Amino acid sequence: MELQYRLLAELESDFDRLIDAVEHLATTYAERPTPAWALGESSVDAQWLRRALTDFWYQDGQDGRETRNYIGVIAAGPALMEAVAAVNLGKARFGATLKHIRQSAPRLIPEIKAVLPFRHPVLHDHLRGQGLARLHLKQCWRQLPVADAPLSRVRLAWYTSGRSIKRLSVAEAEAKLKQMDTSAAHIQIQLRRLGDIPDSEPLAQIQQQAPVMRANLFFREALEDGRMRRAMNLPLPLFIPDPALKLPHLNDPPVTPPTTRTRAKRSDQRLEDDVFLKSLRVYRYRDPALQIAIDHQRKDEAIDRG
């Protein structure tokens, strides 16, 4: 119990420092605004930036895996970049402590979401006045994007084809199905389908990811390692260190992501088109033997690197 109290006190302290750093960044920008652009906005001011920096809340009905995007680009001088670095340091500390809590005292998480906002009356009043639900922890620790150097242009495009693939064994898939209502006909059908394939066959569980804005950054001059460009996701405003305070050339992407897939399917796609276990979003590989060989090769390479 003592460990739980110590971790909670540490996280509360991290949250206090993060809020102070965010407030300092917002105030720094309000006192000396710099050129900025935001998707769907005719102009960007300190109020927009403050809203982007302090949006730490779940909205009613929001999927816990989703975060809200504030897509923008801000040219920044030394003082503003120093404030950005302080915010990202605060976010990193908060995230590290939160990770420790998840590992050591996961039952504290619901209490954290409910209690932390009360430490800051302005934030709590905002939470209550907007009819929002509770603290969204990921929106607290996700980093502010920062460019490595001044940019000549930024190319923005929605990426809607993202997905995560988790490898499952037949036994693991069976265990997950048995946690569901095994008396249901559709679960029984899926269990029988599993029983018809070899126990050694690898399976893939697919999780479609929310659309993200991808930014291709083109530097005015090559970096020390010779790179002239970099790609990154842009869920929050991108801060560009630039003594000249000049925005790079920007394209004009649509305000909302496309509703249909915009990229062609890969010709070397290894998964079957049809879902194998609908309740788990599990697919079979077109060539299981090939996939097993690939897995063994990756393990051997990992051992060699270690």
Side-chain angles (χ1 to χ4, degrees):
M1 188 63 69
E2 181 180 347
L3 174 62
Q4 293 185 10
Y5 287 132
R6 181 175 62 79
L7 289 174
L8 183 57
E10 186 176 344
L11 190 70
E12 289 174 345
S13 177
D14 291 341
F15 189 67
D16 291 345
R17 286 196 292 263
L18 172 58
I19 296 301
D20 289 343
V22 165
E23 182 60 30
H24 176 65
L25 172 55
T27 301
T28 300
Y29 187 79
E31 291 174 348
R32 298 191 65 179
T34 55
W37 168 91
L39 183 64
E41 302 288 338
S42 57
S43 63
V44 180
D45 56 17
Q47 184 177 359
W48 180 88
L49 180 59
R50 189 182 298 272
R51 186 170 68 251
L53 296 175
T54 59
D55 184 359
F56 296 148
W57 321 112
Y58 279 109
Q59 291 180 340
D60 291 337
Q62 180 182 350
D63 188 326
R65 296 167 298 182
E66 293 180 356
T67 52
R68 287 180 294 281
N69 294 327
Y70 291 88
I71 299 164
V73 177
I74 299 175
L80 194 59
M81 288 306 304
E82 185 177 339
V84 170
V87 169
N88 277 342
L89 178 60
K91 286 174 171 286
R93 285 175 175 166
F94 182 90
T97 304
L98 182 64
K99 181 179 179 180
H100 191 184
I101 289 174
R102 289 190 186 279
Q103 295 171 344
S104 305
R107 293 183 180 180
L108 281 179
I109 298 300
E111 180 179 351
I112 288 167
K113 294 179 180 180
V115 169
L116 283 186
F118 285 89
R119 298 180 61 80
H120 296 272
V122 173
L123 294 181
H124 179 243
D125 290 345
H126 172 73
L127 176 70
R128 182 176 55 193
Q130 297 294 321
L132 303 178
R134 63 197 188 283
L135 198 64
H136 192 312
L137 296 174
K138 182 175 181 180
Q139 288 184 196
C140 293
W141 56 254
R142 62 176 177 173
Q143 295 275 297
L144 300 177
V146 175
D148 301 85
L151 304 176
S152 60
R153 64 188 176 106
V154 177
R155 174 71 180 175
L156 300 167
W158 286 106
Y159 180 65
T160 60
S161 303
R163 62 181 185 175
S164 63
I165 301 178
K166 179 181 179 181
R167 192 66 45 76
L168 287 182
S169 66
V170 170
E172 288 169 334
E174 181 181 15
K176 287 179 178 292
L177 285 175
K178 287 184 175 179
Q179 291 175 359
M180 302 178 182
D181 181 8
T182 54
S183 65
H186 67 288
I187 299 298
Q188 293 178 6
I189 291 172
Q190 291 173 85
L191 286 169
R192 286 197 295 271
R193 297 191 76 184
L194 266 181
D196 292 337
I197 66 175
D199 292 341
S200 60
E201 180 174 333
L203 300 170
Q205 186 175 42
I206 305 298
Q207 175 66 58
Q208 295 298 135
Q209 297 176 339
V212 296
M213 182 65 77
R214 290 284 286 174
N216 280 301
L217 315 182
F218 296 84
F219 301 109
R220 287 187 201 156
E221 299 179 0
L223 301 179
E224 291 184 1
D225 60 7
R227 285 183 300 152
M228 287 295 298
R229 58 184 292 181
R230 177 188 175 188
M232 64 169 60
N233 292 342
L234 216 63
L236 290 168
L238 169 69
F239 289 86
I240 305 171
D242 188 352
L245 298 180
K246 181 180 179 182
L247 279 179
H249 179 269
L250 296 157
N251 64 316
D252 189 22
V255 174
T256 57
T259 56
T260 57
R261 183 185 177 99
T262 56
R263 298 177 66 186
K265 285 188 176 182
R266 291 168 55 112
S267 60
D268 62 346
Q269 184 173 330
R270 295 199 295 266
L271 298 180
E272 292 184 348
D273 293 329
D274 297 328
V275 64
F276 180 58
L277 305 174
K278 289 186 177 180
S279 297
L280 300 177
R281 304 179 308 280
V282 164
Y283 290 75
R284 297 180 74 182
Y285 287 93
R286 295 178 186 273
D287 188 341
L290 173 62
Q291 191 58 42
I292 291 173
I294 291 173
D295 290 344
H296 287 163
Q297 180 181 354
R298 288 174 177 169
K299 289 179 181 179
D300 291 342
E301 291 174 351
I303 292 173
D304 292 341
R305 289 195 298 268

